[in-house]
Amino acid sequence: MQNRIVMLVDFDYFFAQCEELRNPTLKDNPVVIGVYSGRTEESGAVSTSNYIARKYTVKSGMPLFLAKRKLEGTDAVFLPVDHEYYEQISYRIMQILRGYASSLEQVSIDEAYLDVTEQVQGSFEKAKDYAQKMKNEVTEQVGISFSVGVGPNKLVAKIACDSQKPNGLTIVKPEEAKTFLAPLPVDRLLGVGKKTSAKMDSLGIKTVGDLASYNVQKLIDIFGRILGVYFHNAANAVDNEPVQEQGEAESISRIGTLKQDTKDLAFILQKTDELTDDISKELAEKNLSFKQVAIYLVLTDLSSKSRSITLEQPAKDKETIKKNVKELFGKFLSETQLEVRRVGVKVSGFSREEPRQKQLTSFFQTS
Ligand code: TTP
Ligand code: CA
């Protein structure tokens, strides 16, 4: 196989950067984007923050009250997540990036892999200028900066990108890849979670380099054939996964008409529970987790409304959908005089559990 050149693009402090884009005066302030749970004005978690706020050790996932405390005495600005707006910006950037690659695989709202082998004729020197040109175009057209990792495969590109943020451009050539990975802790590899890294630690494997030189047969005995071979290959910077366009839907939704117009929450939830069961089957078939839950409704005056909520963590279970749908409807019904005629449920913001079994199997066969 010809040497591949793969890029991973990851937009910098994305939600916060989008907010700076529409209000540039924010740029000099700490900016925190919060997911408000709605229970009290204060409750909720940090979705992300700009790099000024990060200097005060604000982190994604942190409770908002803690972030507030850390930023006390500064002119910090706290804003709620506006997912639709970020989706629009993301879409515009992805469209530009598509023009630079033979294939583009979007992995989240702010990350995509690009296969640019042909565009740069397999040359890592050319890839550097090419990546810079891409960065410049996105800055000019959209006004958003991103970090990019360039490597011989997805695994190396991703870790290269993470190594220098924000506004990074990191190139790791094939001959440098193993040395580049070697000093990193094993849990930087996709698929090495807490349990696996604890197990590896007990075997004396702390770094990717330790894992790379560990006997592969022993790894197979301990982790099974598929994972054992995967860990061995990954640690040695071997990854043949293609950059694959995801021709898939970006959301899954169901809509239904109520038997009668109503303002009764329990009556509405009977219907939305049915819709949710259906959605949840499709999610399970596609092995997807979601980050947003939304409701849609048509009122008796035929106006339509929607409300959505972004979760703090991706989820894949039915109960999370039902709980959030209930909250959203409860809140909505308390704000309107009209009765509801049609209802819908939508989940979006998909991610997949990794490593995928299918991915690992194909990995195993091709390597
Ligand atoms: P990340 O790419 O992890 O983070 P980031 O873009 O904010 O910052 P970085 O410069 O380090 O890349 O996540 C992308 C977006 O996803 C982020 O802007 C907000 C959202 N997000 C959450 O809502 N909750 C989380 O816990 C994380 C990590 C991200
Ligand atoms: Ca990012």
Side-chain angles (χ1 to χ4, degrees), residues 105-125:
E105 177 178 342
Q106 187 173 344
V107 278
S108 72
I109 189 168
D110 83 329
E111 264 179 66
Y113 289 102
L114 285 73
D115 191 318
V116 299
T117 312
E118 284 174 27
Q119 284 76 2
V120 300
Q121 290 105 32
S123 151
F124 277 83
E125 274 70 40

Side-chain angles (χ1 to χ4, degrees), residues 9-15 17 48 51 54 108-111 145-147 161-162 165:
V9 169
D10 181 340
F11 312 159
D12 298 324
Y13 63 104
F14 185 50
F15 294 3
Q17 202 188 166
T48 193
Y51 279 78
R54 290 183 199 192
S108 72
I109 189 168
D110 83 329
E111 264 179 66
S145 75
F146 58 75
S147 298
C161 179
D162 288 345
K165 280 175 156 189

Side-chain angles (χ1 to χ4, degrees), residues 48-299:
T48 193
S49 59
N50 68 0
Y51 279 78
I52 303 178
R54 290 183 199 192
K55 281 203 192 118
Y56 295 85
T57 69
V58 171
K59 289 195 169 66
S60 294
M62 176 181 277
L64 281 169
F65 74 83
L66 193 55
K68 288 215 166 101
R69 197 184 300 160
K70 285 175 182 290
L71 292 166
E72 228 162 61
T74 72
D75 44 8
V77 178
F78 286 76
L79 296 166
V81 167
D82 180 355
H83 218 272
E84 257 170 50
Y85 169 60
Y86 312 147
E87 291 278 2
Q88 285 171 13
I89 308 265
S90 166
Y91 181 79
R92 285 172 54 204
I93 304 173
M94 295 293 173
Q95 288 298 89
I96 295 174
L97 296 180
R98 269 175 225 287
Y100 280 83
S102 308
S103 55
L104 179 145
E105 177 178 342
Q106 187 173 344
V107 278
S108 72
I109 189 168
D110 83 329
E111 264 179 66
Y113 289 102
L114 285 73
D115 191 318
V116 299
T117 312
E118 284 174 27
Q119 284 76 2
V120 300
Q121 290 105 32
S123 151
F124 277 83
E125 274 70 40
K126 285 189 186 151
K128 186 172 180 188
D129 293 342
Y130 196 69
Q132 190 57 55
K133 195 168 148 231
M134 209 165 82
K135 283 163 79 76
N136 296 346
E137 182 173 349
V138 171
T139 305
E140 279 157 27
Q141 304 274 335
V142 188
I144 290 283
S145 75
F146 58 75
S147 298
V148 54
V150 186
N153 54 45
K154 286 160 78 170
L155 177 133
V156 175
K158 163 83 180 154
I159 299 179
C161 179
D162 288 345
S163 74
Q164 215 184 316
K165 280 175 156 189
N167 202 11
L169 197 186
T170 308
I171 308 224
V172 177
K173 295 180 185 164
E175 61 273 21
E176 301 161 347
K178 268 187 73 167
T179 331
F180 173 74
L181 298 182
L184 303 174
V186 272
D187 63 5
R188 291 289 295 278
L189 297 176
L190 198 69
V192 181
K194 271 205 179 106
K195 252 173 89 181
T196 308
S197 67
K199 176 78 196 159
M200 288 184 178
D201 194 83
S202 75
L203 301 167
I205 305 171
K206 294 190 194 310
T207 64
V208 176
D210 297 337
L211 182 58
S213 53
Y214 202 83
N215 182 286
V216 62
Q217 189 53 52
K218 278 193 196 155
L219 287 178
I220 291 172
D221 293 344
I222 298 162
F223 296 104
R225 175 158 288 276
I226 290 175
L227 278 178
V229 172
Y230 164 73
F231 291 146
H232 175 77
N233 284 337
N236 283 286
V238 174
D239 170 16
N240 295 324
E241 279 303 309
V243 174
Q244 241 163 352
E245 306 268 348
Q246 301 285 333
E248 243 166 43
E250 283 171 6
S251 65
I252 298 178
S253 60
R254 296 286 186 277
I255 293 179
T257 303
L258 297 167
K259 291 214 176 71
Q260 61 191 69
D261 298 350
T262 184
K263 273 208 75 183
D264 179 357
L265 180 61
F267 189 82
I268 290 176
L269 293 181
Q270 267 180 14
K271 185 72 196 175
T272 55
D273 280 358
E274 278 176 50
L275 303 175
T276 299
D277 290 348
D278 223 346
I279 288 174
S280 141
K281 269 188 215 146
E282 191 172 334
L283 282 170
E285 274 164 23
K286 297 183 172 164
N287 187 28
L288 293 171
S289 299
F290 53 88
K291 225 30 227 282
Q292 280 89 42
V293 177
I295 58 165
Y296 169 81
L297 26 73
V298 179
L299 299 169

